[in-house]
Amino acid sequence: LMIDVPSGPQGEKDPVDPDAMAPFIAGLLKIVNVDNKFGVKYWELPNEREHILSAAQMAELLSKASKAMKKIDPSILVGGPAAEGINVEYIADVVQRCYPDIDFVTAHTYGGDGKQSPDISYKSAISAINDVHALRDRLSSIAKEKYLPIFVDEYNIGWDPNPDIYTHLGAVYFSIIQTGVIESGGDVSTVWDFSPPHGMSVVDRNGNLTASGNLFTLMNRYFYGEVVIAQSSNPDGLRAFAVKSPSTHAALLSNLTDSPVIVGPKFAGWQGQKFDQYQITASGYSVAKGLHWNAAADKGIRLEGRSVTAIVFR
């Protein structure tokens, strides 16, 4: 659980003054963790305020707030700046100025306004994960004695509601972020959002998963473990990600192109027997369990255009 404090005591249009924010957020922390003993460990501030705060001002805000909060509860972790984009130079400048008072770094990314083509969305996602990789390199250089996790804790294919959020088109975008953040040295990704009453949610108004929303339950259920090398003969059109754990071996295959393809997966040093296949395509979400691997490997696995396929061996 993480609490974000997006602005200061005057509300959304607060100028986010460091001297006003520090006692304000420290007082909130006291209510939450001392008075009510909720034990919230992660605290993030502010929210997409890089347009009104320079890197120096943002760093001052984070440092003063972190010091004030840790006097109340030294066990917490304080992060930010919850940047609107993965602006490597700005975020690195902030961290350089406020380190070691910052404990984790947060940023957001969106594929566009939602009216862009799928190809532009996917290029945006790939650009974002490249920025995560560059940010990891910068943080490692700045904070040599302390590992700073990177949270891409808000993202979606569009920053306004649009139908692609709910379909296979959104699922492909989400799969690039979900897997790419980890491969690029990040630690957390969180889709915006997962709440039923919201028009940009991957669940519908009744709380049921949309087609794209199934990706997150699959990732949370089967893709914790050790990331292993996964390569595609056509990485621009077909992305591959694989994980092994004591209970499962799982691979995620994302077809970024309009055309269906037949793939022949091969594993080095390991051979599965039966597997379950989960797919998000233009037809929706489908599940096929207990498939025989040898037969599938011989015939290949069909990946529909603009689709995500998870194969899970247990």
Side-chain angles (χ1 to χ4, degrees):
L1 179 64
M2 180 174 74
I3 288 181
D4 171 83
V5 181
S7 196
Q10 297 180 49
E12 186 176 352
K13 296 184 179 180
D14 187 275
V16 201
D17 175 65
D19 292 324
M21 178 65 95
F24 170 64
I25 195 170
L28 176 62
L29 172 66
K30 180 179 180 298
I31 293 171
V32 173
N33 278 7
V34 177
D35 299 344
N36 287 284
K37 298 180 172 55
F38 289 139
V40 176
K41 188 176 183 67
Y42 293 90
W43 293 75
E44 175 192 48
L45 70 154
N47 182 64
E48 299 185 352
R49 293 296 188 264
E50 63 265 37
H51 299 300
I52 65 172
L53 296 175
S54 68
Q57 292 170 320
M58 184 70 78
E60 182 185 10
L61 173 77
L62 287 165
S63 284
K64 288 186 174 181
S66 178
K67 290 172 181 175
M69 295 171 75
K70 289 177 180 178
K71 288 180 180 179
I72 304 296
D73 183 352
S75 71
I76 64 165
L77 298 174
V78 177
E84 183 177 305
I86 307 173
N87 186 328
V88 177
E89 294 303 319
Y90 178 85
I91 297 170
D93 194 0
V94 170
V95 174
Q96 181 80 59
R97 293 170 182 272
C98 69
Y99 177 78
D101 294 324
I102 191 170
D103 301 303
F104 59 95
V105 170
T106 61
H108 309 154
T109 189
Y110 284 84
D113 62 4
K115 299 176 183 177
Q116 73 281 358
S117 69
D119 285 334
I120 292 176
S121 300
Y122 304 156
K123 287 178 181 178
S124 173
I126 292 169
S127 177
I129 61 179
N130 288 339
D131 288 338
V132 171
H133 188 276
L135 182 58
R136 169 54 62 210
D137 288 343
R138 294 292 298 278
L139 295 181
S140 298
S141 176
I142 294 167
K144 294 183 175 65
E145 301 172 0
K146 180 179 180 180
Y147 181 80
L148 295 177
I150 298 172
F151 294 4
V152 181
D153 58 356
E154 184 180 318
Y155 73 90
N156 207 319
I157 195 170
W159 57 69
D160 287 324
N162 72 88
D164 292 354
I165 292 171
Y166 322 120
T167 71
H168 60 299
L169 300 177
V172 174
Y173 174 87
F174 298 149
S175 73
I176 298 170
I177 299 289
Q178 285 281 97
T179 60
V181 165
I182 300 303
E183 290 181 315
S184 300
D187 301 88
V188 172
S189 64
T190 308
V191 67
W192 180 263
D193 66 27
F194 224 102
S195 60
H198 201 287
M200 292 175 62
S201 179
V202 295
V203 296
D204 67 21
R205 296 282 171 167
N206 296 317
N208 302 307
L209 287 169
T210 61
S212 64
N214 287 281
L215 173 68
F216 301 98
T217 60
L218 291 172
M219 295 296 289
N220 285 330
R221 185 175 299 153
Y222 300 122
F223 286 83
Y224 280 102
E226 179 186 350
V227 177
V228 297
I229 295 173
Q231 296 176 318
S232 164
S233 60
N234 178 24
D236 292 333
L238 175 64
R239 294 181 60 86
F241 178 79
V243 167
K244 67 176 182 179
S245 72
S247 59
T248 61
H249 289 65
L252 195 74
L253 306 174
S254 303
N255 182 3
L256 280 59
T257 72
D258 278 321
S259 302
V261 295
I262 304 295
V263 298
K266 296 180 180 178
F267 296 94
W270 180 80
Q271 181 63 52
Q273 300 299 321
K274 289 187 177 182
F275 70 102
D276 299 336
Q277 178 177 287
Y278 306 84
Q279 288 193 313
I280 304 172
T281 70
S283 300
Y285 177 61
S286 62
V287 179
K289 294 192 173 184
L291 303 177
H292 292 274
W293 174 247
N294 288 337
D298 290 340
K299 294 180 180 179
I301 295 176
R302 181 182 174 90
L303 309 181
E304 300 296 337
R306 312 288 192 192
S307 68
V308 181
T309 300
I311 52 177
V312 179
F313 299 86
R314 287 185 284 175

Coordinates of all heavy atoms in Angstrom, one line a residue, residues 53-85:
L53 N 7.4 23.2 -10.6 CA 8.6 23.1 -9.7 C 9.8 22.7 -10.4 O 9.8 21.7 -11.2 CB 8.3 22.0 -8.6 CG 7.2 22.3 -7.6 CD1 7.0 21.1 -6.7 CD2 7.4 23.5 -6.8
S54 N 10.8 23.5 -10.3 CA 12.1 23.2 -10.9 C 12.7 21.9 -10.2 O 12.2 21.5 -9.1 CB 13.1 24.3 -10.8 OG 13.4 24.5 -9.4
A55 N 13.7 21.4 -10.7 CA 14.4 20.2 -10.1 C 14.9 20.6 -8.7 O 14.7 19.8 -7.7 CB 15.5 19.7 -10.9
A56 N 15.4 21.8 -8.5 CA 15.9 22.2 -7.2 C 14.7 22.4 -6.2 O 14.8 22.0 -5.1 CB 16.6 23.6 -7.4
Q57 N 13.6 22.9 -6.7 CA 12.5 23.1 -5.8 C 11.9 21.7 -5.4 O 11.4 21.5 -4.3 CB 11.4 24.0 -6.5 CG 11.8 25.4 -6.7 CD 10.9 26.2 -7.6 OE1 10.4 25.7 -8.6 NE2 10.6 27.5 -7.2
M58 N 11.8 20.9 -6.4 CA 11.3 19.5 -6.1 C 12.1 18.8 -5.1 O 11.6 18.1 -4.2 CB 11.1 18.7 -7.4 CG 10.5 17.4 -7.3 SD 8.7 17.4 -6.9 CE 8.1 17.7 -8.5
A59 N 13.4 18.9 -5.3 CA 14.4 18.2 -4.4 C 14.2 18.8 -3.0 O 14.2 18.0 -2.0 CB 15.8 18.4 -4.9
E60 N 14.1 20.1 -2.9 CA 13.9 20.7 -1.5 C 12.6 20.2 -0.9 O 12.5 19.9 0.3 CB 13.8 22.2 -1.7 CG 13.7 22.9 -0.3 CD 13.5 24.5 -0.5 OE1 13.4 24.9 -1.6 OE2 13.6 25.1 0.6
L61 N 11.5 20.1 -1.7 CA 10.2 19.6 -1.2 C 10.4 18.2 -0.7 O 9.9 17.9 0.4 CB 9.2 19.6 -2.4 CG 7.9 19.0 -2.1 CD1 7.0 19.9 -1.2 CD2 7.2 18.6 -3.4
L62 N 11.0 17.3 -1.5 CA 11.2 15.9 -1.0 C 12.1 15.8 0.2 O 11.8 15.0 1.1 CB 11.7 15.1 -2.2 CG 10.7 14.8 -3.3 CD1 11.5 14.3 -4.6 CD2 9.7 13.8 -2.9
S63 N 13.1 16.5 0.2 CA 14.1 16.4 1.4 C 13.4 16.9 2.7 O 13.5 16.2 3.7 CB 15.3 17.3 1.1 OG 16.2 16.6 0.2
K64 N 12.8 18.0 2.6 CA 12.1 18.6 3.8 C 11.0 17.7 4.3 O 10.8 17.4 5.5 CB 11.7 20.0 3.6 CG 12.8 21.0 3.5 CD 12.3 22.4 3.4 CE 13.4 23.4 3.5 NZ 13.0 24.8 3.4
A65 N 10.2 17.2 3.4 CA 9.1 16.3 3.7 C 9.6 15.0 4.3 O 9.1 14.5 5.3 CB 8.2 16.1 2.5
S66 N 10.6 14.4 3.7 CA 11.2 13.2 4.1 C 11.7 13.3 5.6 O 11.4 12.4 6.4 CB 12.2 12.7 3.2 OG 12.8 11.5 3.6
K67 N 12.5 14.3 5.8 CA 13.0 14.5 7.2 C 12.0 14.7 8.2 O 12.0 14.1 9.3 CB 14.0 15.7 7.1 CG 15.3 15.4 6.4 CD 16.1 16.7 6.2 CE 17.4 16.4 5.4 NZ 18.2 17.6 5.2
A68 N 10.9 15.5 7.9 CA 9.8 15.7 8.8 C 9.0 14.5 9.1 O 8.7 14.2 10.2 CB 8.9 16.8 8.3
M69 N 8.8 13.7 8.1 CA 8.0 12.5 8.2 C 8.8 11.4 9.0 O 8.2 10.7 9.8 CB 7.6 11.9 6.8 CG 6.7 12.8 6.0 SD 6.5 12.3 4.3 CE 5.4 10.9 4.6
K70 N 10.0 11.3 8.7 CA 10.8 10.2 9.4 C 11.1 10.5 10.9 O 11.5 9.6 11.6 CB 12.1 10.0 8.6 CG 11.8 9.3 7.3 CD 13.1 9.0 6.5 CE 12.7 8.3 5.2 NZ 13.9 8.1 4.3
K71 N 10.9 11.8 11.3 CA 10.9 12.1 12.7 C 9.6 11.5 13.4 O 9.6 11.1 14.6 CB 10.9 13.6 12.9 CG 12.3 14.2 12.6 CD 12.2 15.7 12.9 CE 13.6 16.4 12.5 NZ 13.5 17.8 12.7
I72 N 8.6 11.4 12.6 CA 7.3 10.8 13.1 C 7.4 9.3 13.1 O 7.0 8.6 14.0 CB 6.1 11.3 12.3 CG1 6.0 12.8 12.3 CG2 4.8 10.7 12.9 CD1 5.8 13.4 13.7
D73 N 7.8 8.7 12.0 CA 7.9 7.3 11.8 C 9.1 7.0 10.9 O 9.1 7.0 9.7 CB 6.6 6.8 11.1 CG 6.6 5.3 10.9 OD1 7.6 4.6 11.2 OD2 5.5 4.7 10.5
P74 N 10.2 6.6 11.6 CA 11.5 6.3 10.8 C 11.4 5.1 9.9 O 12.4 4.9 9.2 CB 12.5 6.2 11.9 CG 11.8 5.8 13.1 CD 10.4 6.5 13.0
S75 N 10.4 4.3 10.0 CA 10.3 3.0 9.3 C 9.8 3.2 7.8 O 9.9 2.3 7.0 CB 9.5 2.0 10.0 OG 8.1 2.4 9.9
I76 N 9.3 4.4 7.5 CA 8.7 4.6 6.2 C 9.7 4.8 5.1 O 10.9 5.1 5.4 CB 7.7 5.8 6.3 CG1 8.4 7.1 6.5 CG2 6.6 5.6 7.3 CD1 7.6 8.3 6.2
L77 N 9.2 4.8 3.9 CA 10.0 5.1 2.7 C 9.3 6.2 2.0 O 8.1 6.2 1.8 CB 10.2 3.9 1.8 CG 10.9 2.7 2.4 CD1 10.9 1.5 1.4 CD2 12.3 3.0 2.8
V78 N 10.1 7.2 1.5 CA 9.5 8.4 0.9 C 10.1 8.5 -0.5 O 11.3 8.3 -0.8 CB 9.9 9.7 1.7 CG1 9.4 10.9 0.9 CG2 9.3 9.6 3.1
G79 N 9.2 8.6 -1.5 CA 9.6 8.7 -2.9 C 8.8 9.7 -3.7 O 7.9 10.4 -3.2
G80 N 9.3 9.9 -4.9 CA 8.7 10.9 -5.8 C 9.6 10.9 -7.1 O 10.5 10.1 -7.2
P81 N 9.5 11.9 -7.9 CA 8.5 13.0 -7.8 C 7.2 12.8 -8.5 O 6.5 13.8 -8.8 CB 9.3 14.1 -8.6 CG 10.1 13.4 -9.7 CD 10.4 12.0 -9.0
A82 N 6.8 11.5 -8.8 CA 5.6 11.2 -9.5 C 5.5 12.1 -10.8 O 4.5 12.7 -11.1 CB 4.4 11.4 -8.6
A83 N 6.6 12.0 -11.6 CA 6.7 12.9 -12.8 C 5.7 12.4 -13.8 O 5.3 11.3 -14.0 CB 8.1 12.8 -13.3
E84 N 5.2 13.4 -14.6 CA 4.2 13.2 -15.6 C 4.7 12.2 -16.7 O 4.0 11.5 -17.3 CB 3.8 14.5 -16.3 CG 2.7 14.4 -17.3 CD 2.3 15.8 -17.8 OE1 1.9 16.6 -17.0 OE2 2.3 16.0 -19.0
G85 N 6.0 12.3 -17.0 CA 6.7 11.4 -17.9 C 8.0 10.9 -17.3 O 8.4 11.4 -16.3

